[in-house]
């Protein structure tokens, strides 16, 4: 084993070949992965569209529940005269509206569907 390592260490031709191989190794690994990726067939996304429609419906309902719950919370506080405690409820209602608007729009943009 020691003799084999001394052959590689002292021979400039084997050193340059080893360095060339070491430099080309990442490119060879990349090319082998791309060859496998090109061998794959087409991807069926019909299930993903159905799943995204489910997420969109959930975002609509969740935003409505958040908005309604926050408005009830804020309304009770406002009727009690505790205006400072009602502010978080009003921000919660804004958050619910954001979930309804931006959440469903973002989910629709992932699938390319129009609302």
């Amino acid at each position: 084993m020691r003799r084999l390592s001394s052959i590689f260490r002292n021979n400039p031709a084997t050193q340059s070949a080893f360095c060339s191989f070491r430099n080309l190794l990442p490119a060879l690994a990349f090319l082998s992965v791309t060859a496998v990726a090109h061998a794959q067939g087409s991807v069926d996304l019909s299930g993903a569209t159905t799943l995204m429609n489910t997420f969109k419906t959930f975002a609509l309902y969740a935003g409505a529940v958040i908005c309604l719950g926050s408005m009830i919370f804020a309304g009770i506080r406002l009727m009690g005269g505790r205006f400072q405690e009602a502010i978080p409820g009003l921000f919660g209602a804004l958050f619910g509206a954001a979930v309804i608007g931006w959440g469903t729009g973002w989910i629709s943009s992932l699938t390319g569907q129009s609302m």
Side-chain angles (χ1 to χ4, degrees):
M1 186 69 171
R2 187 175 284 243
R3 183 171 183 265
L4 186 62
S5 66
S6 66
I7 290 172
F8 283 122
R9 192 176 330 127
N10 295 331
N11 191 349
T14 55
Q15 279 184 338
S16 69
F18 180 72
C19 287
S20 298
F21 177 73
R22 189 177 59 194
N23 289 335
L24 287 176
L25 192 61
L28 292 174
F30 178 74
L31 288 174
S32 66
V33 170
T34 57
V36 170
H38 283 289
Q40 297 295 321
S42 62
V43 178
D44 180 26
L45 293 176
S46 62
T49 304
T50 306
L51 180 68
M52 286 302 185
N53 281 334
T54 305
F55 285 160
K56 187 168 47 172
T57 305
F58 175 75
L60 285 171
Y61 287 138
V65 167
I66 291 169
C67 209
L68 181 65
S70 297
M71 289 301 284
I72 291 172
F73 171 78
I76 290 171
R77 296 293 193 261
L78 285 171
M79 286 190 297
R82 299 177 296 191
F83 298 105
Q84 196 168 12
E85 292 179 14
I87 293 172
L90 296 174
F91 280 115
L94 284 175
F95 176 72
V99 168
I100 290 173
W102 290 323
T104 56
W106 178 71
I107 291 169
S108 294
S109 71
L110 290 176
T111 58
Q113 299 171 349
S114 61
M115 289 289 290

